[in-house]
Amino acid sequence: MDSNPGLNITGTETVIGQGTGADGAVFRTLLDRMSDGVFIARDYRFIFANAALPRMLGYEHDDFVGLGFDAVVAPDFLELWVQRFRQRIGEGEEPPGRYELRFRMKGGRRELPIELNASRVVFDGQRCVLGIVRDMSGRKLAEHALRESEQRFRGTFDQAAVGIALMDLEGRFLRVNPKLCDILGFRASELRTLTMEAITHPEDISLDIHPLRCVRNGEQTTYSIEKRLLHKSGTATWARLTISLLLDEMGAPSHFIAVIEDVHDRHLAQTALADSELRHRLLMHNLHAAVLVCAPDARILYGNPEACRILRMDSALLAGRTIAQLGCRFIDQSGEALAPERDLVRRVLVSGQEMNDVVVGVRHDDADTLWVLVHAYPEFDTQHRLRHIVVMFVDITDRSRLEAERDADRQLRTAALNAITAHVAVLDKRGVIVETNSSWRAFAERGGYTGNMTFIGVNYLDALARCDRDEAPHAEAACEGILSVMLGRSALFQMEYACHAPHERQWFSLKVTPMDAARERVLLSHENITRIKLAEEAVRILANTDALTGLANRRHFFEVAEEEFVRARRYGTPLTVLMADLDHFKRINDHFGHAGGDAVLCSFAIILSSLLRDSDSAGRLGGEEFAVLLPHTALDGARAFAERLMERVAENPPEFDGQPAHYTLSIGIGELMPDCLDFSALLRKADEALYRAKSGGRNRVEYAPGPCNDAT
């Protein structure tokens, strides 16, 4: 069993025989030095093994040779092993030579994964199996470690708190994790159809160009930038991108891996913080109060411009000094110098408490004393350790003068308000009246009000809400207008409203304006515009009325008639128009003169007006020609109206110079027909009927039958 075999290949079969010469010794030496195990099996036993195989399984060489298959092959693979062993020592096609299985280690407690490369051989004239065994435990451990690594990577990739994406060299997404989908609002399938450029804000695309070129050229392995990415909704979100280039086995660029961190909230917070710091610096720089910030050892760290002005020292010289080293003296209100232990900073350091509203004098040798009102307090960190002492002081040297000026300003404003004839009130931002002028109070007194004439403390908006039904529309409009100015929606509100008493007609103009930029106060004025309204009404009457008769003039009558015509056509209601002409009016003028003719025209206008309903209209078209519009009146009603008018005229002749001025009328009636497309056509029908009345002998009423479009 332990003799040296010799190798001999004849035809297609490998023959191994016993060898005792130099060739056999060399062959055995080579076998023993192999790292892989080698065996020959026959009769379901291992009849030969090189040195590596027993060592691999924990055996001594002599203990291993002669073992049966069931002692070495793992039970799970024993049946397959025996089956293939039989196939190899038999006739016919040989089974696959390479496969993986497990051998049992000595003692049977452990199993060794191996790769077997088996083949059919002839040994000492009998068919055997030659096997080469490779220890797979290292590779299996490596594969297991790789699988675990891949699982860890997959878990890390999928469960990472930041977005991760694999991209090809063109920037197309190959794989994305759920967090990236959550950041951008896309599904993974949607992102895989996009590129990094497609989801980058257009203004930020150029940020990647240079660093990406450096990575591709090998100048750097990775880069990080912050830029805006486009959410699926179209909004922009700030993200921090870290892009790395991965190489393949040949060292060539393979793909990119991108780590995307959502920094939108942080970016907004940083921007807000920067804005806040800028506003703080601007505030400190422009603050009219002096500010000193001191360290716990009492050294000054910062002084704003107002502090430098009061202390007469440049900010660069202030830094690092204590209060005692500023070159000026601090005194109390009695004129005594403050002791070092009682200076503004040390008093806070010793007590650990705020110092409020302390009046201190700052005295320079070449100038008068400046008096300041001091407020100082300590600042602590989260561990309640002292960080700073802040000293704020305001120059109150001219406070008395300023207070006097403010009193004068208040008196001037009060005098100015009282000089205004409009009723003026000042409201605070809640709508409460804080000031009124004398006109406001006088108006309340004239109106019979017996309460507090100043109305100070009354909520004007609440008072508007309590107005009765007749005044409610105006009150609601006024309330909305005042609120629009208070809330900054309007720079000015103005409205006119009527305020009629039983025996007096009045109109007012309400005007609301802000008194300050913050709209803490608004000025509200009620100006009496009754004279203007009455004048406008008089002008309107003059513009629409015939000066002699008081009836509507031709222009105004046609305006009213056109509206009534459109309304009647729209709703299908009847409408008639009368054209009336005073018969032989020239004879009246010739007999009584033009004054008598005017008296006749005025008398006719009075009679005509007395017969009109509220919905009717009458106008003087010119000379002795008049027109009457009768809405909701058909032909029969118009005839009755015309006859009644003629009767009244005959019964009531006007007198002039003691003589009755008798006159008669000729009246033509036009009725709205379906083919009347405008009021002019209807008026032509009435005019045609008037012509027939005159031609028929005058002092009569006529109607022109037929459609409107036949009128000539």
XYZ file of all heavy atoms in Angstrom, residues 1 39-48 64-72 81 85 128-129:
207
model
N 0.817 -1.211 0.000
C 0.000 0.000 0.000
C 0.843 1.249 0.000
O 0.456 2.259 -0.544
C -0.923 0.014 1.231
C -2.036 -1.017 1.169
S -3.181 -0.719 -0.170
C -4.333 -2.048 0.084
N -5.428 10.728 -3.968
C -5.717 9.378 -3.468
C -6.038 8.477 -4.652
O -6.360 8.936 -5.761
C -6.887 9.402 -2.483
C -8.217 9.738 -3.119
C -8.986 8.739 -3.735
C -8.690 11.044 -3.119
C -10.190 9.057 -4.312
C -9.900 11.343 -3.692
C -10.661 10.345 -4.309
N -5.920 7.132 -4.382
C -6.403 6.104 -5.296
C -7.340 5.235 -4.480
O -7.031 4.825 -3.355
C -5.260 5.261 -5.883
C -4.349 6.151 -6.748
C -5.816 4.103 -6.715
C -3.138 5.428 -7.301
N -8.541 4.996 -5.031
C -9.560 4.229 -4.305
C -9.917 2.980 -5.103
O -10.042 3.018 -6.330
C -10.802 5.096 -4.094
N -10.109 1.899 -4.364
C -10.513 0.629 -4.970
C -11.231 -0.180 -3.903
O -10.884 -0.107 -2.719
C -9.277 -0.140 -5.479
C -9.634 -1.415 -6.271
C -8.372 -2.069 -6.799
N -7.517 -2.522 -5.693
C -6.233 -2.804 -5.804
N -5.625 -2.616 -6.961
N -5.556 -3.241 -4.769
N -12.197 -0.949 -4.318
C -12.933 -1.800 -3.381
C -13.554 -0.978 -2.242
O -13.564 -1.387 -1.076
C -12.019 -2.886 -2.799
C -11.504 -3.833 -3.883
O -12.259 -3.978 -4.897
O -10.401 -4.345 -3.725
N -14.021 0.273 -2.591
C -14.707 1.158 -1.642
C -13.802 1.578 -0.488
O -14.258 1.867 0.603
C -15.983 0.502 -1.076
C -16.955 0.100 -2.166
C -17.018 -1.219 -2.597
C -17.799 1.049 -2.771
C -17.894 -1.595 -3.617
C -18.672 0.675 -3.780
C -18.726 -0.643 -4.201
O -19.599 -0.988 -5.206
N -12.465 1.585 -0.798
C -11.514 2.035 0.212
C -10.458 2.902 -0.460
O -10.271 2.857 -1.676
C -10.818 0.826 0.885
C -11.756 0.003 1.742
C -11.007 -1.144 2.407
N -11.892 -1.908 3.243
C -12.191 -1.583 4.492
N -11.619 -0.520 5.039
N -13.037 -2.315 5.197
N -9.763 3.681 0.409
C -8.645 4.493 -0.065
C -7.387 3.641 0.067
O -6.956 3.333 1.179
C -8.510 5.781 0.764
C -9.685 6.705 0.632
C -10.719 6.674 1.562
C -9.764 7.597 -0.442
C -11.799 7.523 1.443
C -10.851 8.437 -0.553
C -11.881 8.416 0.365
N -6.824 3.255 -1.112
C -5.659 2.359 -1.057
C -4.352 3.116 -1.194
O -3.279 2.530 -1.027
C -5.777 1.267 -2.139
C -5.769 1.903 -3.524
C -7.039 0.439 -1.929
C -5.675 0.894 -4.653
N -4.426 4.404 -1.560
C -3.208 5.213 -1.675
C -3.563 6.658 -1.358
O -4.658 7.139 -1.677
C -2.632 5.134 -3.092
C -1.537 6.155 -3.335
C -0.245 5.927 -2.872
C -1.815 7.370 -3.971
C 0.747 6.877 -3.077
C -0.815 8.307 -4.162
C 0.469 8.064 -3.723
N -4.719 6.697 7.636
C -5.719 7.056 6.632
C -5.839 5.974 5.562
O -6.960 5.607 5.162
C -5.345 8.403 5.990
C -6.315 8.829 4.921
C -7.554 9.371 5.254
C -6.004 8.661 3.575
C -8.436 9.749 4.262
C -6.890 9.030 2.596
C -8.118 9.587 2.934
N -4.690 5.511 5.033
C -4.706 4.533 3.943
C -5.391 3.259 4.432
O -5.038 2.704 5.475
C -3.280 4.233 3.444
C -3.307 3.125 2.374
C -2.652 5.493 2.880
N -6.387 2.830 3.695
C -7.140 1.644 4.039
C -8.514 1.943 4.610
O -9.325 1.045 4.803
N -8.793 3.245 4.894
C -10.109 3.600 5.419
C -11.182 3.417 4.351
O -10.966 3.643 3.151
C -10.130 5.053 5.898
C -9.329 5.364 7.176
C -9.343 6.855 7.467
C -9.895 4.572 8.357
N -12.370 3.015 4.776
C -13.495 2.896 3.865
C -14.142 4.253 3.590
O -13.926 5.241 4.299
N -14.970 4.273 2.518
C -15.598 5.547 2.128
C -16.470 6.121 3.249
O -16.507 7.331 3.459
C -16.458 5.349 0.881
C -15.656 5.024 -0.361
C -16.274 4.512 -1.485
C -14.277 5.236 -0.400
C -15.552 4.219 -2.626
C -13.542 4.939 -1.550
C -14.188 4.422 -2.667
N -17.174 5.231 3.969
C -18.108 5.729 4.979
C -17.401 6.402 6.143
O -18.000 7.180 6.879
C -18.985 4.597 5.498
C -18.141 3.437 6.063
O -16.907 3.449 5.847
O -18.722 2.547 6.702
N -16.064 6.131 6.310
C -15.316 6.775 7.385
C -14.833 8.160 6.984
O -14.506 8.973 7.845
C -14.123 5.905 7.783
N -14.777 8.422 5.679
C -14.180 9.679 5.196
C -15.223 10.589 4.559
O -15.245 11.802 4.799
C -13.042 9.385 4.202
C -12.481 10.690 3.644
C -11.958 8.566 4.878
N -21.217 9.630 -3.848
C -19.814 9.187 -3.991
C -19.761 7.738 -4.470
O -19.056 7.407 -5.422
C -19.113 9.347 -2.640
C -17.707 8.809 -2.598
C -17.335 7.519 -2.419
C -16.512 9.539 -2.770
N -15.976 7.377 -2.458
C -15.432 8.632 -2.671
C -16.225 10.887 -2.981
C -14.110 9.028 -2.781
C -14.903 11.264 -3.087
C -13.858 10.357 -2.993
N -18.366 6.330 -7.991
C -17.230 5.395 -7.920
C -17.515 4.160 -8.781
O -16.659 3.688 -9.532
C -16.977 4.999 -6.455
C -15.897 3.972 -6.295
C -14.549 4.337 -6.349
C -16.210 2.622 -6.104
C -13.562 3.377 -6.203
C -15.213 1.674 -5.966
C -13.881 2.046 -6.009
N -9.358 1.561 -10.944
C -9.462 2.325 -9.696
C -9.896 3.759 -10.016
O -10.061 4.133 -11.186
C -8.115 2.338 -8.966
S -7.496 0.694 -8.562
N -10.025 4.525 -8.985
C -10.362 5.954 -9.131
C -9.219 6.765 -8.552
O -8.785 6.517 -7.424
C -11.670 6.304 -8.401
C -11.915 7.818 -8.454
C -12.839 5.566 -9.014
